[in-house]
Amino acid sequence: MCGIIGYTGRRPAGPIVIEGLRRLEYRGYDSAGIALFDSDHELYVAKATGKLDNLDARVEGQLPPAVAGIGHTRWATHGAPTDGNAHPHLDPTGRVAVVHNGIVENFEALRRRFEAQGDRFISDTDTEVIAHLLAERLALGDDLAEAMRVTIPLLEGAQAIVAVSVDDPGRLVAARVGNAGGIVVGYGDGEHFVASDLAALLPHTRRVVFLDPGQIADVRLDGVSYLDAAGHALEKPIELQPFDPVAAVKGRYKHFMLKEIHEQPDVALDGVRGRYSTDPARIELPELAIDRTRLERIQRVVLVGMGTSMHSATVGRHYIERFARIPAEVDNAAEFRYREPVLDDRTLVISVAQSGETVDTLWAMEEARRAGCLQVAICNTPGSQATRVADATVFMRAGPEIAVASTKTMVGSMVALHALALHLGHLRGTLTPDQLSEQVTGALHIPSAIGDALLLEEAIEELAGRYAEYEDFLFLGRGLAYPMALEGALKLKEVSYIHAEGYAAGEMKHGPIALIDEHMPVVAVALDDDLHDKMRSNIEQVKARRGRVIALVTEGDTSLDGVADDVLALPRVLPALQPLVAVIPMQLLSYYIAVRRGADVDQPRNLAKTVTVE
Ligand code: M6R
């Protein structure tokens, strides 16, 4: 949560910082602010509540010709979204400016200490104490990097911080403390950057260094040095990132969400490329560089994730049980840590995370690390913390996902989980060659099947026009369609602000059926599989209570014609792979309903793309 950008170099810093914020706005958009060194090496600070456009309008024609600066887009934790609470925050003398992601859990005690010695605070944030602490150390003669190093142990909680000081214009000091979102340092030509994530650096450089927890980057015009918490110098090799900057722009689409929905055939293709081959059927996961005997020893699998990633993990649980025949469970990462899970070194923990920085998921991984579990991350973000903690990562290969609502990374993660489960099944001898061949062939067909599912777009846009005014929706599915029902409800809620609930269809008669009437449309996933007849009965139960049903069926299935009010026919794929096509109409329906209702599709209220607070 919150986006951070910093720049030092020979180009005017102001426009670079503002443009970087634009790429980070999806991380938080309650307010934004910048601090730039003007030509007298004093700080020029500007802030504005609301979207970045407000800040842009405020600084138009006023940006000083700065050589360095920092910027921040905020997702409020402490203090309402106001100009005063927007970052950067300054110390009382205005010599130090700080941008921050995370929570200073002991900020009240620190604040009281400063207030007792006469300092005044002008915001309600936890962040402001960091500026006071840094200024205190600078007054004692520390330089900015040392001030940061000494300050960090005084802060409770996980943080990512970037600070500048007028005593050292052109220098940025960044620190990562625990798992509150990343810090990435970018190396340009005669210039350096820091950012909370890679997306902000892509137009400028692909040469980057990620900070690990406890590390500090001292970034100057002429070079970057790294320190650990004890003040020892660190050597950190520069990595070359493969992300394509073009992927982070909207192109011909009105919204990133729509663009990312349309990218899904390519995401599925990238997901199988080089991993699946036929004649004979093979599955290759070279990135799973884990000793074979360790993989063979696994007795149990626990999958964790949050939101959409948890729904993918639920699909992954089916795959692991079905193909690798290992007992598997799935847990909401935020709950997992606090229920004292029973784990050991024969448990494989699979964490699913688009960002690789979701704090709940990182804490679950920490719990697994302490218990000595084997860990595999399913992740979209190279260099992220999840990829560092895990023993191996199977990447989603989805490219940057900018819309706050996840779409293409769900497809990327389900493809990766399918590949992982097949790999484990093959290794452990639980898959026959015929089963492997069937799954591999089926997976290779998925990119074109998703393309066919996207052809429903026009019909769904029309449907959205008829359903956009309803205020409550129910989504139902069984088996592998159950996580799709959960995802359908989540998508609709977050982008259109319509109340929606996802249920396992068998659960409906145990309570939710009381809600059914003509005012509550039901989206029923009734694809052609072993559970189809039971799903059909559930749909009949809804109709008997005057409910309106939108049914997702497999092409050629006419059994719900005249029963459901609206029927959307999806291409036939293997039953195990149905989630990969069923999710497409859910995404499109949410998108077009949200557009109809005039909602802010790419940046829904109250949300942020990467959730780095508990
Ligand atoms: O980056 P992660 O996959 O760990 O994010 C987890 C959730 O915050 C995320 O999936 C969220 O639910 C989606 N953006 C909703 O569309």
Side-chain angles (χ1 to χ4, degrees), residues 306-310 352-358 361 396 401 403-407 487 490-491 494 608-611:
M306 298 301 294
T308 297
S309 289
M310 191 184 71
V352 183
Q354 183 283 129
S355 60
E357 301 289 354
T358 297
T361 306
M396 297 178 190
E401 187 177 67
V404 167
S406 300
T407 53
E487 178 62 9
L490 172 63
K491 269 315 66 98
E494 67 180 330
K609 182 72 179 163
T610 307
V611 181

Side-chain angles (χ1 to χ4, degrees), residues 526-545:
L527 300 183
D528 189 7
D529 61 12
D530 295 349
L531 299 169
H532 181 269
D533 288 348
K534 294 195 191 311
M535 206 49 221
R536 193 195 143 111
S537 305
N538 296 134
I539 291 170
E540 299 279 6
Q541 289 154 16
V542 172
K543 286 310 299 173
R545 286 152 185 87

Side-chain angles (χ1 to χ4, degrees), residues 15 24 33 45 115 161 263 278-279 284 303 313 397 405 436 456 482 484 489 498 511 516 555 568 570:
L24 293 171
V45 178
E115 281 172 343
I161 306 165
E263 283 172 353
T278 49
D279 284 335
E284 310 258 2
L303 297 108
R397 298 181 173 175
L436 180 64
L456 290 169
Y482 168 49
M484 294 306 101
I498 292 174
I516 304 284
E555 61 191 358
L568 294 169
L570 285 162

Side-chain angles (χ1 to χ4, degrees), residues 452-474:
D452 290 345
L454 285 168
L455 297 177
L456 290 169
E457 181 168 6
E458 217 177 295
I460 294 174
E461 186 175 2
E462 185 274 325
L463 201 66
R466 286 189 280 120
Y467 283 89
E469 300 309 320
Y470 286 89
E471 290 304 331
D472 304 279
F473 272 73
L474 200 59

Side-chain angles (χ1 to χ4, degrees), residues 94-110:
R95 304 191 72 73
V96 178
V98 171
V99 288
H100 170 230
N101 185 9
I103 295 175
V104 182
E105 291 171 10
N106 58 333
F107 84 98
E108 277 164 333
L110 291 167

Side-chain angles (χ1 to χ4, degrees), residues 67-84:
V67 293
I70 54 178
H72 187 269
T73 65
R74 180 167 185 249
W75 186 88
T77 59
H78 293 68
T82 60
D83 286 8

Side-chain angles (χ1 to χ4, degrees), residues 156-169:
E156 288 174 15
Q159 338 277 337
I161 306 165
V162 180
V164 293
S165 159
V166 291
D167 298 322
D168 223 337

Side-chain angles (χ1 to χ4, degrees), residues 10 116 217 354 517 552:
R10 295 182 214 289
Q354 183 283 129
D517 63 16
L552 304 187

